[in-house]
Amino acid sequence: MKKILIITVIWFNYCVGIYFGVLNTIYSILLALALFVIFKHLRRIKYSPYKEFTLSPETPPVTILIAMHNEEGVVLRSIRSALATEYPFFEVIIINDGSTDGTLQKVIDAFSLKKIDRVYRTFLKTKPVKGFYHSLETPNLLVVDKERGGKSDALNCGINISRSPYFCSLDADSLLEKDALIRVMTPLLDSNVPVVASGGVVRIINGLRLTDDGITIEKIDLPDNTLLLFEIVEYIRGFLFGRVGWDTLRSLLILSGTFSLFHKTSVVEAGGFMVGNVAEDMEMIVRLHRHMLKKKKPYRIRFVSDPICWTEAPDDLKMLGRQRRRWHLGLIQSIFQNKEMMFNPKFGKIGMAVLPYYVFFEILGPVIEVLGYPFVIISYFLGILSLDFLLLFLTLAIFYGVFLSTASIFLEELTFRRYPKWSHFFKLLMYGVLENFGYRQINSFWRFQALIQFLIGKGEWEYVRKKGAKDRAEAGVI
Amino acid sequence: MLDQGIVIIIIKTTIAVLLLLTTVLFLTSIIRRAYNERKYRKLDDLKTVFDKKMRETLDSGAMPGTRSEFRSSPRSDAWQAIEDILLRLINEERYKDKVPKLCSALGYVSFYEKRIVNRSVQVRALSVDKLGRMKSEASVPKLIALLDDQNPEVVSGVVRSLSKIGGQAAMHGIIERLPVLLDRSIVTPKAMGMALQSFDAAAIPSLVEQKSGQDKLWVISCVLDILSRLPADPRSVHLAAVHLSSTNVEVRSKALKVLGAAGNISTVHNLPELVLPLLRDPVWFVRLQAIRSIRALKYEAATPLIGKLIFDESWQVRNEAAQALTVFGERSLDIFLDILTGTDRYAKDSICEEMEKTNFPGRLIKNLKVSDRVLQKKSRQVLELMHSLGFSTWLNEYLAREGADTEKEFIRTMMKTGSGA
């Protein structure tokens, strides 16, 4: 009996080692691809016609959809930044999703909006709309007041109203760089294959200094909060090498709902955003793949590494935990709701390789990580494992993590270099090393919790409170 | 079980490789940052100096190309600084004629012309872009030859650059190869359209007359699409009219688009009669374009037919029909009344919404005091029906205006009782 137990323990330890080994290999491939592709993209930007697209009547109109629920502190900044976008034809639709604070009134007052009669037609079923607000002074702004139905429901409502062939979903606490929309649209205009969705980079706004108009970045700085610094490193890694790598492999499964562009007809045909899913952005992308592959029509889902949207990140552990649990739960829900695609050759590499990767490494990964660390260390102290194996485990789990984190900082430094000071570089590098000693493990624990939540059927939206721009804007810092 | 020796080798190798990579990346980042900081500081200084000198020289009427201080070796900082200044000055009205000559005299044109045959796609594309931005007319033949390149990135760049340089040769170069480029999907129709738009009306004769590719429906559809974006021209209308009866949906739709964009410029006999059957086309986007064309042709006799499209199965067609009817104004009043007293709520809402968007209720309110009793009555009925459907914003706003008149009295009564009578 004891022998069987020891063999089981040893084999579990081997599984942990193999898991980290394979995961690190995949990450290394993504990193190498990202390095190559980003350098190529940067050279291409020099002759990219995106500036000509800004002036061209050929550029298709876009609707920017901002769903808001109790966003009183940040909503005006988001609307103003969306309206300041440099794009030939666009409208901004704000969907007030049953806010109980002064969000709606604040927008009405700030833009002198008046209630208007407008017919609401539901191609996608949503909660009832209570009213429309518009002003001739800002003709490309429309505010819709509706009953609370969640973010997906609000976005579906915006899609119903939108008159443009494309729409861009933008979070209410975000700040869009002026050329971000045209840059994210460029792959659609350049491509001979229809692009049904395209996403840009999301970066953390905390720490930035804005100009008096509140929508232009005056100075890029790093926040003092340790947690935010870890998050910045994490965002750089996720967006700069994760998504670029998956995009190169034409296997993107995630675009951030904070800032993504969609082809409206494709989204409507796919059934719109799924109400009840806590990560509507990811679910939408998976369903778009499913829909297009079923139709057997050529399509692309793109990620572009230069358009930037700045967004607010949670600055305390409790809120960050809620956010991460929600993200992971959304990932599980999205894959579970599209399980028909798993190992189904009809869905090509998405069904045969990408979804299985997400299940085994992203969904079940936290189980291995949370149990693996104590298991391997205890096994060593009980004499079941040798010191060599322990070192191998630490090399793969920790040391390789340090390499990947720092490599993404180097990638940022060698390419976009949005953090200009020498001190920024060294600080980010330091946090890139440190995040592997605690922060990453806490993240795994939150993801593990999300998996448990899913298994016990507790899949609800955990509200993440963000401090908003209001107080810090008064101090000149966001 | 893994052999202990192998484990040690794996650990050592992994750590060594990672350490080596980290060190390389770290050093590269540091060196690159330091190098770039120094380089860009120097470039900024050089740009400030050269910008002043260049402007002074150009303003004095002299040709800076003859002065040694502006000559530098390619890839030097001074070379890059001067190039940046030239590309900035070329966009200023007073220097736009001199700068292209200067780019040639200082050797930039020949430098980039050599590079357009480079093996690297990116070098070729970047050089092509630079020649276009320098508006180098002398490079047009070389650029046209590059339209035969197999790389879409390079060819798209060539098309854009030729459009920036402008002139007959550049335009003909593009149009001659247009069918092949579009057919082989080397350039997107959008990119082609954008490029040809800069030639304005000058591109129309060549586009209309070019014969190659006429056997390919896809090419014809692209040509028509491009023509619809160029200024209205009788020749475009004539070509579109020929293709109205095409068997291809895209071609019919694009032909209608040309007519819609052309307004009532028409040299074709009975053009509205050619368009009318397309209001019953089986494909929704053809019907939609047909409505737009009828609207542009101001063919009001088609009002009853468009009225029927208010009940079309496609919402886009229904919306377009509602818009067209409001544009036809009083002629559509009978149709409005028919729809508003009918049972189709969608159609009623569409009409009311479009009327509000086009400020039609303002016209209806004015009609309340016209001498034409029939028109007055119909206008009143439409306003009453709109109010009963909840479209009262116009009425409320009218009441909020200063002054008292009989229309206000009518509106007040109507809003209280549901009828102004």
Side-chain angles (χ1 to χ4, degrees):
Chain A
M1 183 66 191
K2 194 184 167 191
K3 205 176 171 186
I4 294 170
L5 196 70
I6 289 172
I7 290 172
T8 312
V9 169
I10 290 174
W11 274 107
F12 180 75
N13 284 314
Y14 272 112
C15 284
V16 172
I18 291 166
Y19 162 79
F20 278 108
V22 176
L23 189 67
N24 288 338
T25 309
I26 295 171
Y27 284 166
S28 305
I29 293 169
L30 293 177
L31 177 67
L33 285 172
L35 199 66
F36 174 72
V37 169
I38 291 181
F39 274 115
K40 204 172 155 189
H41 180 68
L42 282 176
R43 280 199 295 271
R44 198 174 277 150
I45 286 175
K46 289 180 189 166
Y47 55 87
S48 161
Y50 84 90
K51 277 188 183 157
E52 287 150 40
F53 289 144
T54 315
L55 305 166
S56 169
E58 290 282 301
T59 311
V62 172
T63 301
I64 300 175
L65 299 181
I66 307 178
M68 56 186 192
H69 174 75
N70 294 345
E71 304 277 4
E72 197 178 1
V74 288
V75 68
L76 292 184
R77 182 190 69 195
S78 303
I79 298 176
R80 287 189 179 123
S81 107
L83 286 169
T85 295
E86 286 169 358
Y87 195 87
F89 311 105
F90 72 98
E91 59 174 346
V92 179
I93 297 180
I94 309 296
I95 309 107
N96 178 43
D97 190 37
S99 293
T100 48
D101 65 353
T103 306
L104 180 65
Q105 198 52 48
K106 202 167 180 179
V107 180
I108 290 173
D109 294 343
F111 294 94
S112 312
L113 301 176
K114 281 184 183 167
K115 197 165 183 175
I116 57 161
D117 305 315
R118 188 159 170 169
V119 184
Y120 179 61
R121 295 192 181 102
T122 49
F123 310 111
L124 300 168
K125 208 169 163 16
T126 67
K127 293 272 181 189
V129 165
K130 294 193 274 187
F132 295 91
Y133 297 85
H134 184 255
S135 160
L136 286 176
E137 287 163 33
T138 323
N140 60 340
L141 172 68
L142 179 75
V143 175
V144 191
D145 185 26
K146 68 178 276 289
E147 284 179 16
R148 177 104 173 105
K151 192 180 171 189
S152 300
D153 193 68
L155 288 173
N156 286 340
C157 171
I159 295 170
N160 285 335
I161 297 158
S162 149
R163 292 275 169 108
S164 313
Y166 294 94
F167 71 88
C168 171
S169 69
L170 192 66
D171 273 1
D173 55 359
S174 305
L175 182 87
L176 201 59
E177 289 200 349
K178 285 182 181 171
D179 58 0
L181 193 57
I182 193 74
R183 282 180 188 269
V184 84
M185 179 55 108
T186 303
L188 280 83
L189 300 171
D190 270 345
S191 173
N192 274 317
V193 178
V195 178
V196 293
S198 166
V201 176
V202 177
R203 287 178 184 247
I204 291 176
I205 200 169
N206 310 54
L208 258 60
R209 184 176 286 275
L210 302 184
T211 52
D212 292 339
D213 60 9
I215 53 169
T216 315
I217 297 160
E218 186 183 318
K219 191 180 164 199
I220 292 179
D221 217 335
L222 288 174
D224 298 325
N225 185 308
T226 306
L227 201 58
L228 285 168
L229 285 160
F230 283 135
E231 288 178 69
I232 289 174
V233 173
E234 205 182 6
Y235 269 60
I236 290 174
R237 193 181 58 231
F239 279 95
L240 232 49
F241 90 72
R243 296 209 184 157
V244 173
W246 286 117
D247 176 62
T248 315
L249 296 169
R250 301 191 175 194
S251 304
L252 256 181
L253 223 52
I254 303 177
L255 286 181
S256 171
T258 302
F259 171 47
S260 292
L261 187 79
F262 294 92
H263 181 236
K264 195 173 82 181
T265 311
S266 303
V267 171
V268 172
E269 280 175 5
F273 288 93
M274 183 171 278
V275 178
N277 187 300
V278 297
E280 76 299 327
D281 40 6
M282 180 180 180
E283 200 282 328
M284 186 73 251
I285 299 298
V286 179
R287 201 142 36 83
L288 275 174
H289 277 297
R290 184 172 154 184
H291 174 71
M292 299 305 289
L293 289 167
K294 259 188 176 173
K295 276 174 65 181
K296 292 182 179 161
K297 281 195 173 175
Y299 74 101
R300 282 293 309 267
I301 291 175
R302 293 296 315 272
F303 174 78
V304 202
S305 53
D306 55 319
I308 290 174
C309 174
W310 299 86
T311 195
E312 207 170 320
D315 58 3
D316 64 62
L317 273 176
K318 192 179 167 190
M319 291 301 139
L320 185 65
R322 282 186 183 187
Q323 187 193 54
R324 297 310 155 96
R325 275 194 296 272
R326 195 181 76 205
W327 285 1
H328 201 66
L329 193 60
L331 172 76
I332 303 168
Q333 284 180 339
S334 303
I335 292 183
F336 192 74
Q337 280 153 356
N338 294 282
K339 57 182 180 294
E340 172 205 355
M341 297 172 77
M342 277 282 282
F343 295 117
N344 188 339
K346 248 180 26 185
F347 297 99
K349 62 181 166 195
I350 299 290
M352 297 302 285
V354 183
L355 281 177
Y357 160 80
Y358 271 91
V359 171
F360 293 116
F361 290 97
E362 296 294 337
I363 294 179
L364 298 176
V367 180
I368 307 267
E369 288 183 31
V370 167
L371 300 179
Y373 285 105
F375 222 87
V376 172
I377 293 165
I378 291 169
S379 301
Y380 167 69
F381 283 112
L382 291 177
I384 300 171
L385 283 184
S386 65
L387 177 67
D388 296 336
F389 189 90
L390 180 72
L391 289 175
L392 179 65
F393 169 76
L394 292 176
T395 307
L396 291 173
I398 308 282
F399 195 62
Y400 210 96
V402 170
F403 166 71
L404 289 171
S405 304
T406 49
S408 47
I409 303 300
F410 293 133
L411 186 61
E412 156 76 4
E413 178 62 26
L414 294 171
T415 54
F416 298 105
R417 201 151 71 86
R418 295 305 298 256
Y419 295 97
K421 290 185 190 169
W422 280 97
S423 60
H424 294 157
F425 171 56
F426 288 116
K427 208 168 179 179
L428 288 176
L429 212 52
M430 187 176 80
Y431 278 86
V433 175
L434 291 178
E435 74 154 346
N436 292 282
F437 301 94
Y439 179 76
R440 237 183 70 189
Q441 287 74 15
I442 294 173
N443 252 301
S444 295
F445 179 68
W446 286 325
R447 288 159 68 205
F448 182 72
Q449 278 185 321
L451 183 62
I452 302 294
Q453 276 180 2
F454 176 77
L455 292 173
I456 60 170
K458 201 182 156 204
E460 63 199 27
W461 179 287
E462 287 191 81
Y463 179 67
V464 180
R465 178 180 40 78
K466 291 166 188 172
K467 287 193 174 166
K470 198 178 165 188
D471 302 336
R472 279 166 289 159
E474 280 164 12
V477 178
I478 296 296
Chain B
M1 303 290 161
L2 274 178
D3 182 74
Q4 204 170 333
I6 296 172
V7 172
I8 290 170
I9 292 169
I10 294 173
I11 296 170
K12 283 184 177 172
T13 315
T14 314
I15 292 176
V17 170
L18 294 181
L19 273 177
L20 183 70
L21 280 172
T22 310
T23 314
V24 169
L25 284 168
F26 181 73
L27 289 175
T28 316
S29 302
I30 299 272
I31 293 165
R32 197 179 147 106
R33 184 180 262 257
Y35 172 78
N36 279 343
E37 271 190 7
R38 196 184 144 270
K39 185 186 169 180
Y40 289 116
R41 206 170 31 239
K42 198 177 164 193
L43 260 181
D44 286 344
D45 292 344
L46 283 169
K47 277 188 209 171
T48 313
V49 174
F50 281 125
D51 186 75
K52 199 176 166 214
K53 279 187 188 171
M54 188 77 79
R55 282 172 192 277
E56 280 170 3
T57 319
L58 284 168
D59 289 340
S60 71
M63 196 62 182
T66 56
R67 291 170 59 164
S68 60
E69 62 186 309
F70 293 113
R71 291 195 171 272
S72 51
S73 58
R75 293 198 186 90
S76 66
D77 290 339
W79 169 273
Q80 199 175 329
I82 292 170
E83 185 188 297
D84 287 349
I85 292 162
L86 290 172
L87 292 176
R88 197 190 303 156
L89 292 179
I90 206 165
N91 295 318
E92 291 184 23
E93 190 60 32
R94 58 185 174 149
Y95 302 123
K96 69 172 188 180
D97 296 328
K98 286 181 183 172
V99 175
K101 289 174 197 153
L102 197 51
C103 291
S104 181
L106 291 172
Y108 287 95
V109 169
S110 57
F111 175 75
Y112 286 115
E113 277 183 353
K114 276 179 206 152
R115 288 164 67 94
I116 59 174
V117 288
N118 192 290
R119 276 176 60 192
S120 155
V121 169
Q122 293 190 323
V123 172
R124 289 207 301 278
L126 181 67
S127 308
V128 162
D129 179 66
K130 287 278 168 73
L131 289 171
R133 286 168 69 193
M134 288 172 185
K135 299 193 194 315
S136 167
E137 283 182 32
S139 310
V140 167
K142 285 182 180 157
L143 288 173
I144 289 175
L146 212 58
L147 283 170
D148 297 325
D149 196 288
Q150 295 304 308
N151 188 284
E153 211 168 295
V154 175
V155 180
S156 298
V158 174
V159 170
R160 275 196 302 273
S161 288
L162 286 171
S163 75
K164 278 180 203 157
I165 296 167
Q168 289 288 315
M171 187 184 75
H172 288 303
I174 299 174
I175 294 175
E176 266 172 29
R177 283 167 178 79
L178 178 138
V180 179
L181 297 177
L182 290 174
D183 196 37
R184 281 163 50 205
S185 293
I186 292 182
V187 180
T188 61
K190 219 167 251 307
M192 191 58 95
M194 263 177 73
L196 288 174
Q197 245 171 345
S198 63
F199 293 104
D200 216 43
I204 294 172
S206 312
L207 270 173
V208 171
E209 283 156 25
Q210 68 92 21
K211 295 289 174 215
S212 62
Q214 285 297 329
D215 53 331
K216 290 192 171 106
L217 294 169
W218 149 250
V219 174
I220 297 170
S221 134
C222 289
V223 170
L224 288 168
D225 192 38
I226 293 165
L227 285 171
S228 73
R229 292 160 207 280
L230 294 172
D233 189 282
R235 285 164 294 189
S236 308
V237 173
H238 198 272
L239 183 73
V242 171
H243 290 292
L244 280 176
S245 53
S246 168
T247 51
N248 182 279
V249 179
E250 287 291 333
V251 173
R252 290 202 300 277
S253 156
K254 297 290 157 51
L256 284 165
K257 204 172 163 193
V258 174
L259 300 181
N264 55 359
I265 292 181
S266 174
T267 49
V268 182
H269 180 61
N270 283 343
L271 189 57
E273 276 77 14
L274 290 174
V275 178
L276 279 179
L278 295 171
L279 285 172
R280 285 189 283 268
D281 197 280
V283 180
W284 71 266
F285 57 83
V286 177
R287 295 198 295 277
L288 185 134
Q289 288 296 348
I291 298 173
R292 286 186 183 161
S293 304
I294 294 280
R295 187 174 147 184
L297 290 165
K298 298 199 170 86
Y299 188 61
E300 295 187 2
T303 316
L305 271 174
I306 294 178
K308 283 183 187 163
L309 292 176
I310 286 287
F311 305 101
D312 195 275
E313 61 185 27
S314 150
W315 66 268
Q316 290 98 331
V317 176
R318 292 198 294 265
N319 280 0
E320 195 62 41
Q323 269 178 39
L325 287 175
T326 55
V327 172
F328 287 149
E330 274 94 20
R331 249 196 111 97
S332 309
L333 274 177
D334 286 329
I335 296 168
F336 289 158
L337 281 169
D338 274 353
I339 296 163
L340 293 174
T341 50
T343 52
D344 190 328
R345 178 71 201 210
Y346 188 101
K348 289 184 197 183
D349 286 343
S350 296
I351 283 291
C352 291
E353 199 177 88
E354 292 308 325
M355 280 197 283
E356 279 206 344
K357 269 195 223 157
T358 52
N359 298 342
F360 198 69
R363 216 152 129 188
L364 294 172
I365 293 170
K366 271 187 193 162
N367 287 346
L368 294 176
K369 55 183 174 187
V370 294
S371 54
D372 182 342
R373 290 277 167 195
V374 179
L375 179 63
Q376 194 190 72
K377 191 183 167 195
K378 284 178 183 170
S379 302
R380 196 175 64 221
Q381 282 176 320
V382 172
L383 282 172
E384 281 170 6
L385 288 163
M386 281 182 75
H387 173 62
S388 69
L389 290 165
F391 287 84
S392 313
T393 304
W394 258 92
L395 301 174
N396 286 322
E397 281 184 2
Y398 191 79
L399 287 178
R401 287 181 201 166
E402 281 183 15
D405 51 40
T406 48
E407 293 86 17
K408 277 189 178 169
E409 199 48 49
F410 161 78
I411 293 168
R412 266 190 215 103
T413 317
M414 182 184 79
M415 291 180 86
K416 264 187 208 160
T417 62
S419 164

